[in-house]
Amino acid sequence: MRPHLSFRRSGKNAGTAFLQQNRINLHPLLFKQNQQAFLEEVIPHEVSHLLVWTLFGRVKPHGNEWQSIMIEVFGCEAKTTHSFDIKAVTNTVAYSCDCSEHALSMRRHKSIITGTRYRCRKCNTELSQN
Ligand SMILES: [Zn+2]
Ligand SMILES: [Zn+2]
């Protein structure tokens, strides 16, 4: 039985396996920005969780069973975390100047709200929120 796929924002998780529902949820924004990584890492990772659940029931989430499915079924490295930085994508605010877009950290965003001004180093216009 093929797992169902859903695309909902769920915190900072790139993907989440819902074992009882046979469903994998993918973070829509992260999926859009990291499709290759999703196909190579996130989806095999989460499908392996579903397979472990179906085949072995309640065992350690990233234990031997999960690792051997990752390696033998998907030919993936059995890494428990994903290689792209989820924080970098979700904890930024989009600003723009006259020449490009800038992804500002929450820290800089907060200091702009309290009055700090940032200028683009290239075109020297003040950054404004999109
Ligand atoms: Zn996992
Ligand atoms: Zn600029």
Side-chain angles (χ1 to χ4, degrees):
M1 39 169 199
R2 284 168 65 100
H4 303 286
L5 273 185
S6 57
F7 292 88
R8 284 174 217 159
R9 278 180 192 236
S10 56
K12 287 174 189 156
N13 289 329
T16 314
F18 293 87
L19 304 174
Q20 275 96 344
Q21 301 169 27
N22 191 35
R23 175 167 72 88
I24 291 169
N25 185 65
L26 301 175
H27 194 298
L29 187 68
L30 291 171
F31 177 68
K32 233 174 106 186
Q33 293 174 340
N34 303 277
Q35 285 194 18
Q36 197 62 30
F38 266 74
L39 295 178
E40 288 171 2
E41 295 177 40
V42 181
I43 293 171
H45 181 119
E46 303 306 336
V47 171
S48 295
H49 279 310
L50 293 181
L51 286 173
V52 167
W53 172 256
T54 309
L55 295 171
F56 305 102
R58 217 174 279 279
V59 293
K60 271 197 201 166
H62 300 115
N64 292 335
E65 298 85 356
W66 179 84
Q67 288 180 27
S68 65
I69 288 177
M70 279 295 274
I71 294 163
E72 285 161 29
V73 179
F74 294 103
C76 289
E77 260 183 89
K79 285 188 295 184
T80 55
T81 51
H82 307 304
S83 64
F84 51 90
D85 187 358
I86 288 165
K87 271 197 190 138
V89 189
T90 52
N91 279 350
T92 60
V93 180
Y95 275 79
S96 57
C97 61
D98 282 350
C99 74
S100 69
E101 295 210 336
H102 299 258
L104 265 58
S105 66
M106 284 314 279
R107 195 178 55 77
R108 290 184 99 188
H109 172 63
K110 279 182 191 143
S111 70
I112 286 174
I113 290 171
T114 57
T116 310
R117 299 277 170 258
Y118 287 103
R119 285 178 185 281
C120 171
R121 277 188 214 144
K122 274 184 263 164
C123 69
N124 206 36
T125 52
E126 204 172 283
L127 303 187
S128 59
Q129 202 177 342
N130 291 353

